[in-house]
Amino acid sequence: MQNKEELPFWQQKTLQEMTDTEWESLCDGCGKCCLVKLQDPDTDEIVDTDVSCKLLDLGTCQCSNYPQRHKYVPDCIKLTADNIEELNFMPPTCAYRLLLEGEDLPWWHPLVSGDPELVHAVGVSCLDRIVPETEVEDADLEDHIVEWPQDPSPPRPWIRYGDS
């Protein structure tokens, strides 16, 4: 059994106890939180689209101007330990949401795998599957509703055929 000090920070600390650097490192870079969401006025259901914020870099799924994003996108929500519980539009694979719900980080998360590109390689991110909001009229947003895949299965332990 590991001592608490041997555990990674996200297993030792609450979201409120994390440093700014630790907090920021929880982002897996999937880009899904930067997509336009639609809310049904009757049911309040929130659905995803494949339409990205104008600041999302389509080649990396990272904000192209993260430090000044609120200047260019005033309704961009700053995710904090105090508001994560209220943000029910965050994807189910989101590290902030998972930790809030008492889950651990998935195997493909950069902090677990050590590979920031794995989130894209396994299909969790929206890389190569989105269009910028500057190319979509508001009236056409309903045509862009999508369901993103959930957490993929762990990698299979493949062995070479014929080996035992």
Side-chain angles (χ1 to χ4, degrees):
M1 177 172 261
Q2 290 180 313
N3 293 331
K4 184 175 179 182
E5 296 79 30
E6 295 173 344
L7 295 173
F9 73 87
W10 64 89
Q11 293 177 348
Q12 293 181 40
K13 298 179 177 184
T14 66
L15 292 172
Q16 290 79 8
E17 294 171 331
M18 291 182 188
T19 66
D20 289 344
T21 301
E22 290 168 338
W23 176 266
E24 292 294 326
S25 73
L26 289 177
C27 176
D28 61 29
C30 75
K32 292 179 188 171
C33 61
C34 298
L35 300 178
V36 174
K37 315 285 190 254
L38 299 178
Q39 185 171 20
D40 185 306
D42 297 325
T43 66
D44 288 334
E45 177 188 11
I46 297 174
V47 294
D48 289 315
T49 70
D50 62 359
V51 179
S52 72
C53 166
K54 64 185 176 183
L55 293 181
L56 191 67
D57 181 323
L58 302 185
T60 64
C61 289
Q62 299 291 314
C63 183
S64 62
N65 197 347
Y66 188 73
Q68 296 184 327
R69 66 193 185 280
H70 294 103
K71 178 179 178 180
Y72 300 102
V73 182
D75 61 345
C76 179
I77 297 171
K78 179 175 174 55
L79 184 64
T80 68
D82 294 330
N83 70 4
I84 182 63
E85 195 166 358
E86 302 161 20
L87 304 178
N88 57 352
F89 63 83
M90 296 301 285
T93 56
C94 175
Y96 302 99
R97 181 174 171 177
L98 289 170
L99 294 176
L100 176 71
E101 295 172 353
E103 301 293 328
D104 202 358
L105 298 183
W107 62 271
W108 46 262
H109 191 283
L111 289 173
V112 176
S113 70
D115 182 358
E117 297 302 313
L118 194 55
V119 66
H120 308 303
V122 300
V124 175
S125 81
C126 57
L127 186 67
D128 297 330
R129 298 186 283 179
I130 53 179
V131 294
E133 67 182 334
T134 54
E135 295 181 14
V136 179
E137 298 292 327
D138 284 351
D140 297 329
L141 283 172
E142 285 187 27
D143 297 335
H144 288 268
I145 294 173
V146 294
E147 281 192 43
W148 295 104
Q150 302 305 313
D151 186 15
S153 306
R156 295 184 61 157
W158 291 101
I159 60 170
R160 187 175 171 146
Y161 180 75
D163 290 349
S164 356

